[in-house]
Amino acid sequence: MRAEVLRHAAAEEQYEHPRLRENTRAQRLAVMAKTVRAAEAMAPTRPRPGVATAAQNLAVGPMGAVVDRVRDAVREVMGGSEI
């Protein structure tokens, strides 16, 4: 799966991103970038076992993101040790 994700990301960077830059106004690209950053800020940083549908992700995702980010911050302060 890792190889497929990396292949997909490389294809986006090689083919899709250049076409977006060529065919989309700078203002629209800026709005798209802000939208992606907002989605990333609200997304969990770890998978949730048993959360498989879009509805479940919407229900669990925001709280999972808060828990993950607090855990990440505490871990960083503690020098990377497990909590």
Side-chain angles (χ1 to χ4, degrees):
M1 183 167 162
R2 182 178 191 276
E4 285 302 309
V5 169
L6 292 174
R7 184 194 59 75
H8 177 82
E12 283 183 347
E13 291 172 4
Q14 185 176 0
Y15 301 109
E16 295 173 29
H17 294 176
R19 284 181 180 76
L20 277 172
R21 283 191 291 276
E22 292 168 7
N23 298 303
T24 308
R25 293 189 309 252
Q27 182 179 12
R28 177 72 176 131
L29 288 172
V31 169
M32 291 169 69
K34 285 182 182 181
T35 302
V36 168
R37 283 190 212 99
E40 287 174 342
M42 294 176 52
T45 61
R46 290 172 181 74
R48 295 289 182 276
V51 177
T53 68
Q56 290 171 333
N57 277 315
L58 287 173
V60 175
M63 184 53 74
V66 171
V67 170
D68 289 350
R69 292 180 198 293
V70 168
R71 179 185 289 167
D72 293 344
V74 170
R75 184 172 289 146
E76 185 175 321
V77 168
M78 294 177 67
S81 61
E82 291 293 320
I83 303 174

